[in-house]
Amino acid sequence: MRYFDQATETMSRERLAVLQIEKLQTMLAELWGRNAFYTDKLKKAGVGPDEVRSLSDLSRLPLTTKHELTADQAAHPPFGTNLTYPPEAYIRYHQTSGTTGAPLRVLDTEESWDWWGRCWGYVLSGAGLTAADRLFSAFSFGPFIGFWSAVEGARKIGAMMIPGGGRDSPQRLELMRESGATALCCTPTYALRLAEVAREKNFDLHALPVRATIHAGEPGANVPATKRRIEESWGAKCYDHAGASEVGAHSFECEAQPGGIHIIESEFIVEVLDPATAQAVEPGARGELVITNLGRLGFPILRYRTGDVVQVNTDPCVCGRTFARFQGGLLGRADDMITVRGVNVFPSAVENIIRRFREVDEFRVTVHTMRHMDEMDVEVELVEDADPNTVAAIGQAIDTMLAFRPNVRLVPRGTLPRFELKAKRFHVQRG
Ligand SMILES: [Zn+2]
């Protein structure tokens, strides 16, 4: 079993809690009086930096929302006031995709950028990668942070990084072959897209020495049917990972693949709250992930409401790590849950059903209301020479699992959009 930092990853949970509180205290002392955004928030909450003595004091600290951060940047353009140091201390600029409102700009100092790299070191070592690996990044580099930090992670473990930007899918496959890539880093969607292109070009993916695919940028590698599809297509093990520009790369899947992702608890404190009351749920219950990062002092985040729904499992993992894990990965986003005829559905549940059908290359789901009734339209693109009964079988499978019958329709190949980053396959149209 590979570790990035074995001593930390296998430390007792009691020691881990001590480490967390020490780092939190250091962070609060550092930002107090320097970081205007958090100094102001702490003063309003009536908490001084010396008053947090154990993890049970965490609930006295104020929560942070994305809206607060973007509103602060709008009021104090361009970077807002969540900066602990003067502008010249920062060396990296990134921003969120802005799919839900204005993008949030995030800055990193030399020190915090190094921290991002270490967090990705856990992700890559967790997937069993070593200095002998060659990691191919099938991505064109823009202001999205995810793949940049993967580059830093590869450097931390001494792996060779092969950038795959500025070229189309067939050229990327060719570059992977020529360079002897052993691992692939991209979105789950794009791993399937590359597999689709390989099939069309008679390019044998199984002839590549790729042994691991590591995913960032969107969920999918935690959807069992999608994960299986990626593994079968590539003849490699598929690894999930989760993070966010606002907080950092916070969790990763280990080689034991226990059906969840480990939280890098030496660098993050995780809480699970009831989204309605903002109170902690019972241990092991589902709720909203609220996260505090401990190593990004230049752009710190205290108790950030991610909107992600998670369930934390602290049982020992066969890999030997004591880091708790999110059972099933990020289960969905609280605001993504759709209600169809009274049934609450996460998009990932629908994806898991559709991806079980090997003939499906791409799909799009639209939920709308017709004559006061919820309807779900599913458009599918199938592989060449697919069994014509597949369309009806998908409708039946969704009906069986979710207790409503969607309208499944076959569309010609190439109709539906393809994505490199942040696939959007679910649409809700309600008048
Ligand atoms: Zn594990």
Side-chain angles (χ1 to χ4, degrees), residues 155-169:
R155 190 169 160 198
K156 288 286 177 201
I157 65 163
M160 184 189 291
M161 179 75 202
I162 305 159
R167 57 200 58 229
D168 63 15
S169 299

Side-chain angles (χ1 to χ4, degrees), residues 135-148:
L135 178 62
F136 188 89
S137 181
F139 186 69
S140 293
F141 287 84
F144 175 68
I145 201 164
F147 296 92
W148 285 102

Side-chain angles (χ1 to χ4, degrees), residues 246-259:
E246 303 91 305
V247 293
H250 56 68
S251 43
F252 66 94
E253 190 167 359
C254 67
E255 289 174 88
Q257 299 200 319

